[in-house]
Amino acid sequence: MGTTVTVGLMSTYFATDFYRVAANIITTGFPLGILAFSASTQLLIDIYGWRGAMLLLAGINFHSVAAASLLKPLTHSTADNSVYQRVENLENNEDNNQNVTCTCINDTCNASLFKNRPFIIIIIVSFACGYCHNGWVVYLVSITQSQDLSPNEAVIMATISGVGAFMIRIILAIFQGGTSPRLLLCGGSFITAGAYAGLYYASSFLTTAVVSCLLGIGLGVVGSQVYVAANATIEKDQAINAMAWLHFVLGIGYIISGYVNGFLFDISGNFRLSLIGLSAASTFIPITIAAEDLWNIFTRR
């Protein structure tokens, strides 16, 4: 909920030119969180046990409330006011109840977003983003351990990957400029696909470290540009609804990825099939974007 609202509010606080910078900077919080929590969580568990560690992590996360209280208050848009007016009409029985209810639901969920083909394409892409991202967050340490690296070396790979994701988002914040987010999505996806394929063949600490860094870079690009690309297809007052739908589909990709990759490991005894699947899923992103571009070319003729 917090991430959805935060990303949605960015389009309200920042004009289009600054949105790309803001999106790249704000999304650096995720790799920073991985870097900080991956090390500190185990330390807290060792010192305070599971219950104490969970209490401390809850306290750390509670800082989000203080951060949210510092945000600039927003005024309701015209679209929001029209929803409130329809609700008042429903309460006063001025309109047909069923029609007003359906209209209110339609406006509240911003169902008109699904008449927007570019946004639908980004929604489809977000599924693949979630699927590939989950492979990094959940399975990277297990994958590297399966390649005969020690637990400490496997954690180092996660750290290297997080550094890669953090640095590329800072670089994008400075240098992206007017570069198309769709183009960057494709580039990041190819890097991600190549990195997952590289993990398939990596056999030493050095090669695994290089591939892990590339994986973080690729997913770092994809993870920020999916928001920038989505924002470019919508109106400002649709932002929070749009990001909610995007995160809904992204979450489905997360869930399916966890089950599918776990199942592939169970039936094969290794992560090779999972790495092939994650690499293939990464290439789905540029294929989808290219398919829309081809459709636009042919329909203009």
Coordinates of all heavy atoms in Angstrom, one line a residue, residues 228-262:
V228 N 8.2 4.9 -14.9 CA 8.3 6.0 -15.8 C 7.5 5.8 -17.0 O 6.8 6.7 -17.5 CB 9.8 6.3 -16.1 CG1 9.9 7.5 -17.1 CG2 10.6 6.5 -14.9
A229 N 7.6 4.5 -17.6 CA 6.9 4.2 -18.8 C 5.3 4.2 -18.5 O 4.6 4.7 -19.3 CB 7.3 2.8 -19.3
A230 N 4.9 3.7 -17.4 CA 3.5 3.8 -17.0 C 3.0 5.2 -16.9 O 1.9 5.6 -17.3 CB 3.2 3.0 -15.7
N231 N 3.8 6.0 -16.2 CA 3.4 7.4 -16.0 C 3.2 8.2 -17.3 O 2.4 9.1 -17.4 CB 4.4 8.1 -15.1 CG 4.0 9.5 -14.7 OD1 3.1 9.8 -13.9 ND2 4.7 10.5 -15.3
A232 N 4.0 7.8 -18.3 CA 4.0 8.5 -19.6 C 2.7 8.2 -20.3 O 2.4 8.9 -21.3 CB 5.2 8.1 -20.4
T233 N 1.9 7.2 -19.9 CA 0.7 6.8 -20.6 C -0.6 7.3 -20.0 O -1.6 7.0 -20.5 CB 0.7 5.3 -20.8 OG1 0.5 4.7 -19.5 CG2 2.0 4.7 -21.4
I234 N -0.5 7.9 -18.8 CA -1.7 8.2 -18.1 C -1.8 9.7 -17.8 O -0.8 10.5 -17.9 CB -1.7 7.5 -16.7 CG1 -0.5 7.8 -15.9 CG2 -1.8 6.0 -17.0 CD1 -0.5 7.2 -14.5
E235 N -3.0 10.1 -17.3 CA -3.2 11.5 -16.8 C -2.8 11.6 -15.3 O -2.8 10.6 -14.6 CB -4.7 11.9 -16.9 CG -5.2 11.9 -18.4 CD -4.6 12.9 -19.3 OE1 -4.1 13.9 -18.7 OE2 -4.5 12.6 -20.5
K236 N -2.5 12.8 -14.9 CA -2.0 12.9 -13.5 C -3.0 12.4 -12.5 O -2.6 11.8 -11.5 CB -1.7 14.4 -13.3 CG -1.1 14.7 -11.9 CD -0.7 16.1 -11.7 CE 0.4 16.6 -12.6 NZ 0.9 18.0 -12.3
D237 N -4.3 12.7 -12.7 CA -5.3 12.2 -11.7 C -5.6 10.7 -11.7 O -6.4 10.2 -10.9 CB -6.6 13.0 -11.8 CG -7.2 12.9 -13.2 OD1 -6.7 12.1 -14.0 OD2 -8.3 13.5 -13.4
Q238 N -4.9 10.0 -12.6 CA -5.1 8.6 -12.7 C -3.9 7.8 -12.1 O -3.9 6.6 -12.0 CB -5.2 8.1 -14.2 CG -6.4 8.6 -14.9 CD -6.3 8.2 -16.4 OE1 -5.3 8.3 -17.1 NE2 -7.4 7.7 -16.9
A239 N -2.9 8.6 -11.5 CA -1.7 8.0 -11.2 C -1.8 6.9 -10.1 O -1.2 5.8 -10.2 CB -0.7 9.1 -10.7
I240 N -2.5 7.2 -9.0 CA -2.5 6.2 -7.9 C -3.3 5.0 -8.3 O -2.9 3.9 -8.0 CB -3.2 6.9 -6.6 CG1 -2.3 8.0 -6.1 CG2 -3.4 5.8 -5.6 CD1 -2.8 8.7 -4.9
N241 N -4.4 5.1 -9.0 CA -5.1 4.0 -9.5 C -4.3 3.2 -10.5 O -4.2 1.9 -10.4 CB -6.4 4.4 -10.3 CG -7.5 4.9 -9.3 OD1 -7.6 6.1 -9.3 ND2 -8.1 4.1 -8.6
A242 N -3.5 3.9 -11.4 CA -2.7 3.2 -12.3 C -1.6 2.4 -11.6 O -1.3 1.2 -12.0 CB -2.1 4.2 -13.3
M243 N -1.0 3.0 -10.6 CA 0.1 2.3 -9.9 C -0.4 1.1 -9.1 O 0.2 0.1 -8.9 CB 0.9 3.2 -9.0 CG 1.6 4.3 -9.8 SD 2.7 3.6 -11.2 CE 2.9 5.0 -12.2
A244 N -1.7 1.3 -8.6 CA -2.3 0.2 -7.9 C -2.5 -1.0 -8.8 O -2.2 -2.2 -8.4 CB -3.6 0.6 -7.3
W245 N -3.1 -0.8 -10.0 CA -3.2 -1.9 -11.0 C -1.9 -2.5 -11.4 O -1.8 -3.7 -11.5 CB -4.0 -1.3 -12.2 CG -5.5 -1.1 -12.0 CD1 -6.1 0.1 -12.1 CD2 -6.4 -2.1 -11.7 NE1 -7.5 -0.1 -11.8 CE2 -7.7 -1.5 -11.6 CE3 -6.4 -3.5 -11.5 CZ2 -8.9 -2.1 -11.3 CZ3 -7.6 -4.2 -11.2 CH2 -8.8 -3.5 -11.1
L246 N -0.9 -1.6 -11.6 CA 0.4 -2.1 -12.0 C 1.0 -3.0 -10.9 O 1.5 -4.1 -11.2 CB 1.4 -0.9 -12.2 CG 2.7 -1.2 -12.8 CD1 3.2 -0.1 -13.7 CD2 3.8 -1.4 -11.7
H247 N 0.9 -2.6 -9.6 CA 1.4 -3.4 -8.5 C 0.6 -4.7 -8.3 O 1.1 -5.7 -7.9 CB 1.4 -2.6 -7.2 CG 2.6 -1.7 -7.1 ND1 2.6 -0.6 -6.2 CD2 3.7 -1.6 -7.8 CE1 3.8 0.0 -6.3 NE2 4.4 -0.6 -7.3
F248 N -0.7 -4.6 -8.6 CA -1.5 -5.8 -8.6 C -1.0 -6.9 -9.5 O -0.8 -8.0 -9.1 CB -3.0 -5.5 -8.9 CG -3.9 -6.7 -9.0 CD1 -4.3 -7.3 -7.8 CD2 -4.4 -7.1 -10.2 CE1 -5.2 -8.4 -7.9 CE2 -5.2 -8.2 -10.3 CZ -5.6 -8.9 -9.1
V249 N -0.8 -6.5 -10.8 CA -0.3 -7.5 -11.7 C 1.2 -7.8 -11.4 O 1.6 -9.0 -11.6 CB -0.4 -6.9 -13.2 CG1 0.2 -7.8 -14.2 CG2 -1.8 -6.6 -13.5
L250 N 2.0 -6.9 -11.0 CA 3.3 -7.2 -10.5 C 3.4 -8.2 -9.4 O 4.2 -9.1 -9.4 CB 4.0 -5.9 -10.1 CG 5.5 -5.9 -9.8 CD1 6.2 -5.5 -11.2 CD2 5.9 -4.8 -8.8
G251 N 2.4 -8.1 -8.5 CA 2.3 -9.0 -7.4 C 2.0 -10.4 -7.8 O 2.5 -11.4 -7.3
I252 N 1.1 -10.5 -8.9 CA 0.8 -11.8 -9.4 C 2.0 -12.5 -10.0 O 2.3 -13.7 -9.8 CB -0.3 -11.7 -10.5 CG1 -1.6 -11.2 -9.9 CG2 -0.5 -13.0 -11.2 CD1 -2.7 -10.9 -10.9
G253 N 2.8 -11.7 -10.7 CA 4.1 -12.2 -11.2 C 5.0 -12.7 -10.1 O 5.7 -13.7 -10.2
Y254 N 5.1 -11.9 -9.0 CA 5.9 -12.3 -7.8 C 5.4 -13.7 -7.3 O 6.2 -14.6 -7.1 CB 5.7 -11.3 -6.7 CG 6.8 -10.3 -6.6 CD1 6.9 -9.2 -7.4 CD2 7.8 -10.6 -5.6 CE1 7.9 -8.3 -7.2 CE2 8.9 -9.7 -5.5 CZ 8.9 -8.5 -6.3 OH 9.9 -7.6 -6.2
I255 N 4.1 -13.9 -7.1 CA 3.6 -15.1 -6.5 C 3.8 -16.3 -7.4 O 4.3 -17.3 -7.0 CB 2.0 -14.9 -6.3 CG1 1.8 -13.9 -5.2 CG2 1.4 -16.3 -5.8 CD1 0.4 -13.5 -5.0
I256 N 3.5 -16.1 -8.7 CA 3.7 -17.2 -9.7 C 5.2 -17.6 -9.8 O 5.5 -18.8 -9.8 CB 3.1 -16.8 -11.0 CG1 1.6 -16.7 -10.9 CG2 3.5 -17.8 -12.1 CD1 0.9 -16.3 -12.2
S257 N 6.0 -16.6 -9.8 CA 7.5 -16.9 -9.9 C 8.0 -17.7 -8.7 O 8.7 -18.6 -8.9 CB 8.2 -15.5 -9.9 OG 9.6 -15.8 -9.9
G258 N 7.5 -17.4 -7.5 CA 7.9 -18.2 -6.3 C 7.5 -19.6 -6.4 O 8.3 -20.5 -6.2
Y259 N 6.3 -19.9 -6.8 CA 5.8 -21.3 -7.0 C 6.5 -22.0 -8.1 O 6.9 -23.1 -8.0 CB 4.3 -21.3 -7.1 CG 3.5 -21.1 -5.8 CD1 2.9 -19.9 -5.5 CD2 3.5 -22.2 -4.9 CE1 2.2 -19.8 -4.3 CE2 2.8 -22.0 -3.7 CZ 2.2 -20.8 -3.4 OH 1.5 -20.7 -2.2
V260 N 6.6 -21.3 -9.3 CA 7.1 -22.0 -10.5 C 8.6 -22.3 -10.3 O 9.0 -23.5 -10.6 CB 6.9 -21.1 -11.7 CG1 7.7 -21.6 -12.9 CG2 5.4 -21.0 -12.1
N261 N 9.4 -21.4 -9.8 CA 10.8 -21.6 -9.6 C 11.1 -22.6 -8.5 O 12.0 -23.5 -8.7 CB 11.5 -20.3 -9.4 CG 11.6 -19.4 -10.6 OD1 12.0 -19.8 -11.6 ND2 11.1 -18.2 -10.4
G262 N 10.2 -22.6 -7.5 CA 10.4 -23.6 -6.5 C 10.0 -25.0 -7.0 O 10.7 -26.0 -6.7

